């Protein structure tokens, strides 16, 4: 089946630093999604990417859909303590496939 | 607007017991799904449904049953709980359009299940 490799597994950064994480796939996706999960909560969608090469921002977050359609990147600028959480990438191959494939997550810790 | 509601939030079961995890959404979404989240494993799809009366298996369906009698509800049943089913379970829903799911899925807050 499809697999997503998400890296890094965890990050410890200082408040104000920029963060970058990425996902790579063994197969092509038509949609890339980035979710954030706060402790004790369900994942919440941050950014959705629907076109190869697309670069989309949501406040301090920027995500890109790789040209090969097999990777995606999420950047967080000027991190703040509330950025703490687990960030997941997810891919969807489109068509009549109703399944999302999730990466294993990146645990972000921000030191004030 | 409640969104996706899961009950219970916490549950402890003994091996061999059965139980049903409830999931309800009030957004009239056609697509609903169940995931389990284990440390270091991310989210893995258990079962999903694209409408009332229609269900299908995901990546890890063994040991779980589902049914979809209404658009709003998608319960997950464990017939004989095993310690390997200790996990956090998430229900998610989204629209279905033109033969494919809308990928902007909304998640519930999760059910933390421990099987002893």
């Amino acid at each position: 089946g499809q697999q997503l490799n998400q890296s890094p597994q965890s990050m410890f950064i200082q408040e104000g630093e920029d963060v970058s994480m990425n996902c790579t796939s063994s197969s092509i996706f038509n949609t890339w999604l980035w979710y954030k999960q706060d402790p004790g909560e369900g994942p919440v969608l941050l950014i959705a990417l629907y076109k190869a090469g697309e670069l989309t921002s949501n406040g301090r977050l920027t995500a890109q859909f790789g040209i090969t359609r097999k990777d995606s990147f999420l950047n967080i600028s000027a991190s703040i303590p509330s950025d703490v959480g687990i960030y997941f990438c997810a891919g969807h191959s489109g068509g009549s496939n109703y399944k999302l494939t999730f990466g294993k997550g990146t645990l972000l810790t921000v030191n004030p | 607007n409640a969104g996706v509601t899961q009950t219970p939030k916490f549950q402890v079961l003994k091996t061999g017991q059965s139980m049903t995890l409830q999931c309800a959404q009030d957004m009239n979404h056609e697509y609903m799904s169940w995931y389990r989240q284990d440390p270091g494993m991310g989210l893995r799809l258990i079962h999903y449904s694209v409408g009332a009366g229609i269900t299908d298996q995901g990546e890890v369906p063994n040991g779980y049953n589902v049914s979809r009698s209404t658009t709003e509800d998608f319960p997950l049943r464990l017939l004989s709980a095993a310690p390997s089913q200790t996990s956090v379970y998430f229900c998610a829903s989204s629209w279905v359009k033109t033969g494919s799911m809308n990928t902007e899925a909304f998640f519930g807050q999760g059910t933390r299940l421990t099987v002893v």
Side-chain angles (χ1 to χ4, degrees):
Chain A
Q2 295 169 322
Q3 293 185 348
L4 287 184
N5 295 312
Q6 186 171 351
S7 65
Q9 283 186 313
S10 62
M11 302 181 75
F12 298 84
I13 62 171
Q14 293 297 124
E15 183 177 0
E17 290 183 351
D18 296 343
V19 172
S20 184
M21 57 192 80
N22 70 84
C23 274
T24 58
S25 169
S26 57
S27 55
I28 289 172
F29 285 115
N30 286 340
T31 302
W32 281 96
L33 307 167
W34 285 92
Y35 285 86
K36 183 194 178 194
Q37 184 180 25
D38 291 326
E41 302 288 331
V44 174
L45 183 66
L46 297 173
I47 294 178
L49 303 160
Y50 296 102
K51 187 177 177 181
E54 181 180 354
L55 185 70
T56 298
S57 293
N58 178 5
R60 294 177 295 104
L61 277 64
T62 302
Q64 185 163 23
F65 191 142
I67 292 292
T68 65
R69 295 164 63 193
K70 291 185 177 182
D71 59 0
S72 181
F73 303 86
L74 176 69
N75 295 318
I76 304 173
S77 63
S79 60
I80 59 178
S82 62
D83 289 335
V84 165
I86 303 175
Y87 292 79
F88 290 100
C89 63
H92 184 233
S93 58
S96 59
N97 178 2
Y98 295 100
K99 302 176 185 179
L100 278 178
T101 301
F102 279 84
K104 295 183 179 181
T106 295
L107 174 61
L108 179 64
T109 302
V110 180
N111 295 318
Chain B
N1 192 353
V4 179
T5 302
Q6 290 184 237
T7 56
K9 285 187 168 46
F10 302 94
Q11 182 71 49
V12 178
L13 288 178
K14 293 183 179 179
T15 298
Q17 285 186 317
S18 63
M19 80 158 295
T20 299
L21 279 63
Q22 302 291 345
C23 176
Q25 52 91 9
D26 61 359
M27 297 172 281
N28 203 31
H29 286 167
E30 296 168 275
Y31 180 89
M32 296 186 74
S33 55
W34 278 101
Y35 292 86
R36 61 177 288 173
Q37 184 178 27
D38 302 295
M41 298 296 292
L43 289 159
R44 293 183 292 171
L45 182 64
I46 304 172
H47 285 285
Y48 66 96
S49 168
V50 298
I54 306 170
T55 64
D56 206 345
Q57 295 181 348
E59 181 184 356
V60 288
N62 293 340
Y64 307 95
N65 283 345
V66 293
S67 61
R68 186 92 179 272
S69 56
T70 67
T71 300
E72 295 78 19
D73 301 298
F74 190 44
L76 178 72
R77 281 184 288 276
L78 284 71
L79 297 179
S80 180
S84 61
Q85 293 178 305
T86 294
S87 186
V88 181
Y89 292 85
F90 288 100
C91 178
S93 73
S94 67
W95 296 278
V96 173
K97 58 179 183 179
T98 60
S100 180
M101 66 173 281
N102 179 304
T103 49
E104 298 181 15
F106 293 82
F107 283 82
Q109 288 192 312
T111 295
R112 186 174 296 274
L113 176 68
T114 301
V115 182
V116 298

